[in-house]
Amino acid sequence: MKRRSFIQKTALTTGAISIGNTLSYANTLNPKSKAHTYNLKYAPHLGMFKHLAGEDPIDQLNFMADQGYTAFEDNEMRKRPVEQQEKMAKTMKERGLEMGVFVAHEIHWKTPNLASGDQVKREEFLNDIKNSIEVAKRVNAKWITVVPGHVDLKLRMGYQTANVVESLRQAAALLEPHKITMVLEPLNLRNHPGLFLTDSPQAFEICRAVNSPSCKILFDIYHQQIQEGNLIPNMEASWSEIAYIQIGDNPGRKEPTTGEINYHNVFKWIHEQGYNGVLGMEHGNSRDGKEGELAVIEAYKKVDDFL
């Protein structure tokens, strides 16, 4: 039997796994074990378990479900072929995986777009939103990620904010009939210097101004630990506008337990709020290969053990 086929077959028949002394995949499997039950909907992404599950996206989705994950996110879903989107949606439905976010539009990392008020750039954004509605319907997605892009250095912040709000109001009008929510993601200035949206209070203010159920906050814990810290109080202050959460430890943007964030307490607080949404695992693995992928699984079991 080929090595890859063996890994895929074994991954589909196993339940929860634990790290042994050798960290060998074959030695850590227990065919009689059941999939782990998590308290929150943690959502891996493609590539996170490729050494254990294989390169095929469908095999990876099955592996995630076998480990007890109940959600999945894919930033690149919008750009995938329709046939692949449909196959992934079918597998997610069969395996009970809830679709998380995908990026809804072309992000302008270096030049102003929504902040500028430029009508051509606004139309480009709205066309991307229209196209993303079709993708979201195809893969049963409730949330799509929006990043307003770079600041416009020629305009005062108040004018930029008004321009962003107007673009988002028009996008929300497109999304509302389909009950799809765009979630605005503030990004930290260290990794993404020059972007318009950086802080949770800023995102809160914009969502209140747009005033639509289709415009909410994506609170990325990694970004906001760098940008503003004080995580639980800031989440509490903006909680009414938070619809989606992403994860990554700091420094390094790897799995929980590898950095300074007390994810055990953060997740406990999120659970206590009655949060029933998705928590995207938007981070890398701290170690390479199967060993690193097993470490990710064990890290989430550890920080999720708060009840």
Side-chain angles (χ1 to χ4, degrees), residues 115 148-152 157 160-162 164 194-199 202 206:
H150 204 273
V151 297
D152 190 330
M157 184 55 73
Q160 294 185 65
T161 299
V164 170
L195 291 191
F196 169 81
L197 186 61
T198 59
D199 307 301
Q202 181 189 15
I206 290 171

Coordinates of all heavy atoms in Angstrom, one line a residue, residues 115 148-152 157 160-162 164 194-199 202 206:
A115 N -11.6 53.8 1.4 CA -11.4 55.0 2.2 C -11.4 56.2 1.3 O -11.7 57.3 1.7 CB -10.1 54.9 3.0
P148 N -11.3 46.9 4.5 CA -11.5 48.1 3.8 C -10.3 48.6 3.0 O -10.4 49.5 2.2 CB -11.9 49.1 4.8 CG -12.5 48.3 5.9 CD -11.7 47.1 6.0
G149 N -9.1 48.1 3.2 CA -7.9 48.4 2.5 C -7.1 49.5 3.1 O -7.2 49.8 4.3
H150 N -6.3 50.1 2.3 CA -5.3 51.1 2.8 C -5.9 52.5 3.1 O -7.0 52.8 2.5 CB -4.2 51.3 1.7 CG -2.9 51.8 2.2 ND1 -2.6 53.1 2.4 CD2 -1.8 51.1 2.6 CE1 -1.3 53.2 2.8 NE2 -0.8 52.0 3.0
V151 N -5.3 53.2 4.0 CA -5.7 54.6 4.2 C -5.5 55.5 3.0 O -4.7 55.2 2.1 CB -5.0 55.2 5.4 CG1 -5.3 54.4 6.7 CG2 -3.5 55.3 5.2
D152 N -6.2 56.6 2.9 CA -6.0 57.6 1.9 C -5.3 58.8 2.6 O -6.0 59.5 3.3 CB -7.3 58.0 1.3 CG -7.1 58.9 0.1 OD1 -6.1 59.6 0.0 OD2 -8.0 58.8 -0.8
M157 N -9.3 61.6 8.5 CA -9.9 60.3 8.8 C -11.4 60.4 8.8 O -12.1 59.4 8.5 CB -9.4 59.9 10.2 CG -9.9 58.5 10.7 SD -9.5 57.2 9.5 CE -7.7 57.0 9.8
Q160 N -12.6 59.7 5.4 CA -12.3 58.3 5.0 C -13.4 57.4 5.6 O -13.9 56.5 5.0 CB -10.9 57.9 5.5 CG -9.8 58.6 4.7 CD -8.4 58.1 5.2 OE1 -8.1 57.0 4.9 NE2 -7.6 58.9 5.8
T161 N -13.7 57.7 6.9 CA -14.7 56.8 7.6 C -16.0 56.9 6.9 O -16.7 55.9 6.7 CB -14.8 57.2 9.1 OG1 -13.5 57.1 9.7 CG2 -15.8 56.4 9.8
A162 N -16.4 58.1 6.5 CA -17.7 58.3 5.9 C -17.7 57.6 4.5 O -18.7 57.0 4.2 CB -18.0 59.8 5.6
V164 N -16.0 54.8 3.8 CA -16.0 53.4 4.1 C -17.5 53.0 4.5 O -18.0 52.0 4.0 CB -15.0 53.0 5.2 CG1 -15.3 51.6 5.7 CG2 -13.6 53.2 4.6
G194 N -0.3 50.7 7.5 CA -1.0 51.6 6.5 C -2.4 51.3 6.2 O -3.1 52.0 5.5
L195 N -3.0 50.2 6.9 CA -4.4 49.9 6.6 C -5.3 50.8 7.3 O -5.0 51.3 8.4 CB -4.7 48.4 6.9 CG -4.0 47.4 6.0 CD1 -4.6 46.0 6.3 CD2 -4.1 47.7 4.5
F196 N -6.5 51.0 6.8 CA -7.5 51.9 7.4 C -8.1 51.3 8.7 O -8.2 52.1 9.7 CB -8.6 52.1 6.4 CG -9.8 52.8 7.0 CD1 -9.9 54.2 7.1 CD2 -10.9 52.0 7.4 CE1 -11.0 54.8 7.7 CE2 -12.1 52.7 7.9 CZ -12.1 54.1 8.1
L197 N -8.4 50.1 8.7 CA -9.1 49.5 9.9 C -8.1 48.7 10.8 O -7.6 47.7 10.3 CB -10.2 48.6 9.4 CG -11.2 48.0 10.5 CD1 -11.9 49.1 11.2 CD2 -12.2 47.0 9.9
T198 N -7.9 49.2 12.0 CA -6.9 48.6 12.9 C -7.5 48.2 14.2 O -6.9 47.3 14.9 CB -5.8 49.5 13.1 OG1 -6.3 50.8 13.7 CG2 -5.1 49.9 11.8
D199 N -8.5 48.8 14.7 CA -8.9 48.6 16.1 C -10.3 48.2 16.3 O -11.2 48.5 15.4 CB -8.8 50.0 16.9 CG -7.4 50.6 16.8 OD1 -6.4 49.9 17.1 OD2 -7.3 51.7 16.3
Q202 N -12.8 51.1 16.5 CA -13.1 51.7 15.2 C -14.1 50.8 14.4 O -15.0 51.4 13.8 CB -11.8 51.8 14.5 CG -11.8 52.4 13.1 CD -10.5 52.3 12.3 OE1 -9.6 51.5 12.7 NE2 -10.4 53.0 11.2
I206 N -17.9 51.8 13.1 CA -18.4 51.7 11.7 C -19.6 50.8 11.6 O -20.6 51.1 10.9 CB -17.2 51.2 10.9 CG1 -16.1 52.2 10.7 CG2 -17.7 50.7 9.5 CD1 -14.8 51.7 10.1

